[in-house]
Amino acid sequence: MQSHPEPALKGCFPNMALTPSTMLPLGTPLPSFALKVVPGTNLEIDGGLGALNTINTSSLPTKPLLLMALCAHCPFVKHIEKELTHLDQDYGDSVQLLAIASNSLITHPQDGPEQLAAQAKQQGWRFPYLLDTDQSLAKALQAACTPDFFLFAPSPQGLQRLCYRGQLDNSRPGNDAPVTGSDLRAALEAVLNGQDVSPNQQASIGCNIKWHPGQEPPWFG
């Protein structure tokens, strides 16, 4: 079920458009993509691939895949950065993590490659940061905000299907709830233990993705 921005958070960020996840239907196949890697962040793609300038769906290992819509400037992303480091440390060997940067650099150059690389280095992230410059992957995922999380798990036939989407946990800037990653961690544990992920999933909330002017998707606004 799609949740809505909490009134208390509106007061904390009066000039920001607080946006919930669209909650892409569970079972959706992983969209095909081929995206450039932010230089300096392609550290932990396994399978003997070496250093890559581009990562595409056919180059990914056959294991669970976590796509994370992030950016460098959003206070909602900054709020959870350390927990993303912990998730990387705890699950990076069993799950392929990929950060996706889809914000328009026309309107938000502060989310450019240099800023993304600096963010990843400061947090010690081992996973690659991908540049979704034409916003095609964000639109295929119906991503709406930063942060937004999409966990895919391979079927016996190897087809990756969506099994979790939504929030990291219920912590937000200003609501005093601790950042634990509890919602996403529960989904990761279920997938890695061969169990069904609970369909009771809550939308993430954050800053809206900054779409290229005139190219906003139907779910924006």
Side-chain angles (χ1 to χ4, degrees), residues 5 29 49-50 85 97 102 105 121 145 151 154 175-176 184 196 198:
L49 298 173
T85 304
L97 280 66
S102 300
L105 300 186
K121 181 178 181 181
C145 56
L151 177 61
N175 74 356
D176 296 327
L184 182 54
D196 292 335
S198 170

Side-chain angles (χ1 to χ4, degrees), residues 35-43 52-55 99-101 111-118 120 127-132:
L35 299 178
K36 291 184 178 180
V37 180
V38 174
T41 67
N42 183 22
L43 303 178
L52 297 176
N53 295 321
T54 300
I55 290 175
I100 311 298
D111 286 326
E114 291 184 4
Q115 291 86 348
L116 299 174
F127 48 81
Y129 225 137
L130 305 186
L131 290 168
D132 185 23

Side-chain angles (χ1 to χ4, degrees), residues 63-186:
K63 61 181 182 180
L65 172 67
L66 177 62
L67 300 181
M68 304 174 288
L70 305 177
C71 68
H73 88 277
C74 172
F76 287 83
V77 174
K78 290 184 177 298
H79 181 68
I80 64 168
E81 283 176 334
K82 287 184 172 55
E83 176 58 20
L84 297 184
T85 304
H86 297 153
L87 283 172
D88 185 21
Q89 294 167 346
D90 293 343
Y91 295 99
D93 293 335
S94 303
V95 177
Q96 182 59 63
L97 280 66
L98 292 177
I100 311 298
S102 300
N103 277 358
S104 173
L105 300 186
I106 299 171
T107 61
H108 287 71
Q110 64 266 45
D111 286 326
E114 291 184 4
Q115 291 86 348
L116 299 174
Q119 177 191 27
K121 181 178 181 181
Q122 182 179 24
Q123 299 302 323
W125 292 344
R126 301 177 299 168
F127 48 81
Y129 225 137
L130 305 186
L131 290 168
D132 185 23
T133 52
D134 66 357
Q135 305 183 320
S136 58
L137 182 54
K139 289 181 177 178
L141 293 171
Q142 296 183 24
C145 56
T146 54
D148 214 353
F149 298 94
F150 303 85
L151 177 61
F152 291 84
S155 68
Q157 294 75 32
L159 179 64
Q160 295 270 16
R161 291 192 177 275
L162 184 68
C163 60
Y164 181 85
R165 72 284 194 252
Q167 67 179 13
L168 178 73
D169 56 36
N170 64 2
S171 181
R172 310 283 188 263
N175 74 356
D176 296 327
V179 180
T180 63
S182 57
D183 292 53
L184 182 54
R185 284 176 176 271

